């Protein structure tokens, strides 16, 4: 476990983007695991800058996103597919047919989960998984639970996650309550994990995740056991580390 304390959000984003650039430079057909939310937005902006400056070529890369809301079509601006295209995928040269996000409109959700997991495996697994972290310690949409979750599955979002995500919707009632997410098992299978977190409201969660006991009530705490995991934090998110 490596912890990097960046100067601020911008520096955190720069450092995360550099790690992704290094991954894609040394393995051009890298399989990237991607996240949505505010934490990786700066990283995506930097990646677009690096791409526009000719520093990085995504033409042989593939991406798999962590999660998607159920019942939200891909052309809806609230969908994670839309978020990814808007904030990264449409601005770099990754082939669209190799960008995967779970299908939130699947009628057979279990089948969608199984085939998403199979697809990841068929590409040889994720080389580098980028993560944010929820206030309750979730990664992907793996909410606090009594056990660490299996591969890609359907999940009911916790009240606190719905409240936190309401900022992206007109009202809390519009926030979907169901999602499909890669499981903890999927995330732990990535060869490299990079987690970005900023802001003092994440400080308690970061402290528990990194220095607390490994506990499915803090799902990200399992990352303590990952053989190649880096946390890039701004000083506020790191402020409660002992
Ligand atoms: C998003 C995701 C979530 C977010 C987490 C933090 O794909 O998987 O785990 O990373 O909810 O969200 P932000 O970064 O908005 O605080």
């Amino acid at each position: 476990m490596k912890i990097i304390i960046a100067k601020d959000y911008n520096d955190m984003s720069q450092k995360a983007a550099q790690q992704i650039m290094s991954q894609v430079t040394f393995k051009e057909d890298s399989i990237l695991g991607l996240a949505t939310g505010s934490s990786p937005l700066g990283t995506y902006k930097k990646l677009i800058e690096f791409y526009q400056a000719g520093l990085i070529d995504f033409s042989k890369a593939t991406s798999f996103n962590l999660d998607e809301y159920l019942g939200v079509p891909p052309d809806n601006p609230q969908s994670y597919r839309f978020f990814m295209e808007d904030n990264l995928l449409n601005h770099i040269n990754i082939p669209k047919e190799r960008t995967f996000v779970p299908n939130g409109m699947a009628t057979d959700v279990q089948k969608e989960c199984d085939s998403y997991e199979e697809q990841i495996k068929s590409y040889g697994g994720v080389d580098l998984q980028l993560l944010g972290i929820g206030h309750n310690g979730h990664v992907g949409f793996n909410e606090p639970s009594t056990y660490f979750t299996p591969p890609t599955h359907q999940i009911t979002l916790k009240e606190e996650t719905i409240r936190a995500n309401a900022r992206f919707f007109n009202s809390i009632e519009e926030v979907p309550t169901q999602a499909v997410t890669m499981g903890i098992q999927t995330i732990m299978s990535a060869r490299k994990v990079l987690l970005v977190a900023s802001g003092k409201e994440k400080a308690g969660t970061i402290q528990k995740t990194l220095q607390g006991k490994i506990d499915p009530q803090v799902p990200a705490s399992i990352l303590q056991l990952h053989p190649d995991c880096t946390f890039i934090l701004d000083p506020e998110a790191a402020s409660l580390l002992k």
Side-chain angles (χ1 to χ4, degrees), residues 163-206:
R163 265 199 311 275
N165 289 3
R167 69 193 195 279
F168 298 115
F169 292 80
N170 292 324
S171 71
I172 194 161
E173 289 74 33
E174 283 180 28
V175 185
T177 57
Q178 299 286 316
V180 165
T181 181
M182 282 187 195
I184 289 294
Q185 197 186 101
T186 327
I187 293 169
M188 286 297 280
S189 304
R191 284 180 273 286
K192 198 185 266 289
V193 173
L194 191 59
L195 186 148
V196 285
S198 61
K200 65 173 182 320
E201 66 286 357
K202 296 271 172 84
T205 310
I206 288 294

Side-chain angles (χ1 to χ4, degrees), residues 1-20 39-40 43 128-133 192-199 202 206 210 223 229-238 241:
M1 174 79 68
K2 201 164 147 192
I3 302 169
I4 298 174
I5 306 193
K7 287 201 281 291
D8 51 24
Y9 179 84
N10 187 50
D11 187 39
M12 173 194 88
S13 304
Q14 171 92 6
K15 287 181 161 58
Q18 281 168 340
Q19 300 244 0
I20 296 170
S39 307
T43 306
L128 183 154
Q129 177 65 57
L130 179 65
L131 297 174
I133 184 169
K192 198 185 266 289
V193 173
L194 191 59
L195 186 148
V196 285
S198 61
K202 296 271 172 84
I206 288 294
L210 289 170
L223 294 170
C229 178
T230 302
F231 276 54
I232 308 184
L233 309 171
D234 80 345
E236 288 183 327
L241 290 177

Side-chain angles (χ1 to χ4, degrees), residues 2-50:
K2 201 164 147 192
I3 302 169
I4 298 174
I5 306 193
K7 287 201 281 291
D8 51 24
Y9 179 84
N10 187 50
D11 187 39
M12 173 194 88
S13 304
Q14 171 92 6
K15 287 181 161 58
Q18 281 168 340
Q19 300 244 0
I20 296 170
M21 179 163 76
S22 151
Q23 171 67 41
V24 176
T25 303
F26 291 107
K27 183 173 185 268
E28 54 183 4
D29 58 348
S30 283
I31 313 301
L32 301 174
L34 300 176
T36 59
S38 1
S39 307
L41 266 182
T43 306
Y44 296 153
K45 282 207 180 80
K46 297 283 175 192
L47 284 176
I48 295 168
E49 278 170 33
F50 293 167

Side-chain angles (χ1 to χ4, degrees), residues 142-183:
N142 294 282
E143 299 282 38
S145 169
T146 50
Y147 57 91
F148 288 110
T149 55
T152 303
H153 59 284
Q154 179 173 351
I155 186 114
T156 301
L157 302 182
K158 295 262 188 201
E159 192 54 44
E160 61 265 26
T161 300
I162 293 173
R163 265 199 311 275
N165 289 3
R167 69 193 195 279
F168 298 115
F169 292 80
N170 292 324
S171 71
I172 194 161
E173 289 74 33
E174 283 180 28
V175 185
T177 57
Q178 299 286 316
V180 165
T181 181
M182 282 187 195

Side-chain angles (χ1 to χ4, degrees), residues 213-241:
K213 67 176 178 12
I214 296 167
D215 178 357
Q217 293 296 339
V218 184
S221 62
I222 192 81
L223 294 170
Q224 290 179 30
L225 298 180
H226 194 281
D228 187 353
C229 178
T230 302
F231 276 54
I232 308 184
L233 309 171
D234 80 345
E236 288 183 327
S239 59
L240 294 179
L241 290 177

